[in-house]
Amino acid sequence: YVVREKGQTDIWATPIDTLNPIRLTNSPTDERDPAWSPDGTQLAYASNKNGNWDIYIYDLLTGDERQMTIGLAFEAGPRWSPNGEFLVYESYNEAGHLDIYILRTDGSAVQEPRVPQSSETADFSPAWSPDGTQMAFVSWRDGNQDIYVFTIADSSIYNLTSTPDVDEDYPVWSPDGNTIAYSAVEAGRELVYTHTAAPNTQPQLFRQGRTPAWSPDGNSIILATDTRTSTLFTVAPYNVDGAATEAFNTASTGAYHPDWTETPLPAALVNAGGLPSAVPDPLFVEDEGPGTSDPPYGLENINVDGVGSNGLLSERVNDSFQALRISTNQAL
């Protein structure tokens, strides 16, 4: 799953048996959209570590990392094919909007990299079906954000959700390929639905939350909700054989995009407690403390134009602003 803290986005994993969080990436830039390979030994993800968003594959057994896309286009949201030979992903490329592409994980060329049928609107958030015959994705091609299913053999597409007043995202297939879980924002609330992966069927409300992921046995779904200070990942039973509800907290709010594998993490990585943080020390530490007034923080005068015109800035950040102003003047 993805956690953002202190201005940096990293990918973390939590072993189910210990619930001890382990940092898997620690670039000073950002990593997001983690996706386990079918055998659980490699992790595909998106990162802007080289100046723009590209797709990478990290081998947890060897520690090797491969950059799979190179260029100025935005590329993110990778998902593996069931045989591990391809990645499907979203890219803002020559069409002027998001489209869906595939690449070979061995680096060789793909004859027709763009899938599915192109449209004049955005297609994104692709997910490969477990049998490799279909892809679920999100599109605006019918005027709002719905989830569609593309069948590879005949290039046919159908709108799975068809909800003009609801925006859906993050589709994920159940391991048996019969059901798709997804996020929806409905009347301002984040909800998770499940939907039989067939046209003209009705969704079922599962839980409140976002960015669902299936357990490897298909009996449970993990989803994210925010508390006041952190994100709560909850594992809830999908059927009678599902796990009893379990939960764990992350270090900050806004965590998302869990992906679940039954393959254990390498022992060396677990024993080391994951990678160390690469978050740099803050350039300035604000001298702040709750006051006795209500509200506890006030506004301070800030000289804006240097000739006496003042603005107002919260006393929680005014010292930092002044320090930035001084350091900028010194640099000039």
Side-chain angles (χ1 to χ4, degrees), residues 160-298:
L160 180 70
T161 52
S162 297
T163 50
D165 55 345
V166 179
D167 287 338
E168 294 94 357
D169 204 347
Y170 298 104
V172 284
W173 295 81
S174 60
D176 63 9
N178 294 328
T179 307
I180 295 174
Y182 57 87
S183 288
V185 178
E186 188 172 348
R189 300 177 64 190
E190 293 181 321
L191 303 172
V192 170
Y193 281 87
T194 59
H195 204 303
T196 301
N200 303 315
T201 53
Q202 295 300 312
Q204 299 294 320
L205 177 61
F206 181 68
R207 292 286 194 281
Q208 185 169 348
R210 64 174 181 272
T211 59
W214 293 88
S215 62
D217 60 10
N219 292 328
S220 304
I221 296 176
I222 187 171
L223 48 88
T225 55
D226 282 335
T227 68
R228 185 176 62 86
T229 58
S230 65
T231 294
L232 181 69
F233 281 108
T234 303
V235 179
Y238 175 68
N239 55 38
V240 294
D241 295 322
T245 299
E246 298 183 37
F248 62 92
N249 281 311
T250 62
S252 60
T253 60
Y256 67 103
H257 209 126
D259 195 31
W260 198 331
T261 180
E262 61 184 351
T263 304
L265 293 171
L269 185 62
V270 174
N271 293 337
L275 299 178
S277 173
V279 177
D281 292 333
L283 299 177
F284 184 87
V285 178
E286 184 76 22
D287 182 14
E288 63 169 298
T292 58
S293 61
D294 185 18
Y297 299 99

Side-chain angles (χ1 to χ4, degrees), residues 22-318:
I22 294 173
R23 187 192 302 269
L24 298 183
T25 65
N26 68 343
S27 166
T29 54
D30 297 324
E31 293 87 24
R32 53 175 261 191
D33 306 340
W36 292 111
S37 62
D39 64 3
T41 64
Q42 299 182 87
L43 191 71
Y45 63 91
S47 176
N48 61 356
K49 65 181 66 182
N50 286 324
N52 54 280
W53 286 97
D54 283 304
I55 306 298
Y56 294 79
I57 293 179
Y58 170 46
D59 190 316
L60 276 76
L61 299 180
T62 65
D64 294 335
E65 181 181 76
R66 291 180 288 150
Q67 183 174 346
M68 303 303 298
T69 62
I70 299 175
L72 298 179
F74 168 87
E75 285 140 343
R79 289 293 172 188
W80 296 80
S81 64
N83 61 10
E85 295 182 2
F86 297 91
L87 287 175
V88 61
Y89 63 97
E90 63 191 34
S91 176
Y92 193 94
N93 216 310
E94 66 271 6
H97 53 74
L98 283 171
D99 271 320
I100 296 171
Y101 294 80
I102 59 172
L103 59 80
R104 294 183 183 273
T105 55
D106 64 3
S108 59
V110 176
Q111 184 174 1
E112 296 291 340
R114 179 189 270 180
V115 293
Q117 297 169 354
S118 61
S119 70
E120 298 302 317
T121 58
D123 297 338
F124 54 99
S125 292
W128 224 306
S129 66
D131 63 3
T133 64
Q134 294 179 302
M135 293 180 189
F137 66 100
V138 181
S139 179
W140 279 84
R141 61 183 60 203
D142 287 333
N144 63 288
Q145 190 167 307
D146 283 322
I147 292 175
Y148 295 74
V149 175
F150 167 66
T151 300
I152 297 173
D154 60 6
S155 297
S156 62
I157 297 175
Y158 65 86
N159 190 329
L160 180 70
T161 52
S162 297
T163 50
D165 55 345
V166 179
D167 287 338
E168 294 94 357
D169 204 347
Y170 298 104
V172 284
W173 295 81
S174 60
D176 63 9
N178 294 328
T179 307
I180 295 174
Y182 57 87
S183 288
V185 178
E186 188 172 348
R189 300 177 64 190
E190 293 181 321
L191 303 172
V192 170
Y193 281 87
T194 59
H195 204 303
T196 301
N200 303 315
T201 53
Q202 295 300 312
Q204 299 294 320
L205 177 61
F206 181 68
R207 292 286 194 281
Q208 185 169 348
R210 64 174 181 272
T211 59
W214 293 88
S215 62
D217 60 10
N219 292 328
S220 304
I221 296 176
I222 187 171
L223 48 88
T225 55
D226 282 335
T227 68
R228 185 176 62 86
T229 58
S230 65
T231 294
L232 181 69
F233 281 108
T234 303
V235 179
Y238 175 68
N239 55 38
V240 294
D241 295 322
T245 299
E246 298 183 37
F248 62 92
N249 281 311
T250 62
S252 60
T253 60
Y256 67 103
H257 209 126
D259 195 31
W260 198 331
T261 180
E262 61 184 351
T263 304
L265 293 171
L269 185 62
V270 174
N271 293 337
L275 299 178
S277 173
V279 177
D281 292 333
L283 299 177
F284 184 87
V285 178
E286 184 76 22
D287 182 14
E288 63 169 298
T292 58
S293 61
D294 185 18
Y297 299 99
L299 298 175
E300 295 290 336
N301 289 326
I302 295 292
N303 187 289
V304 176
D305 59 11
V307 295
S309 176
N310 289 324
L312 296 174
L313 199 61
S314 168
E315 62 183 354
R316 301 191 71 180
V317 297
N318 64 321

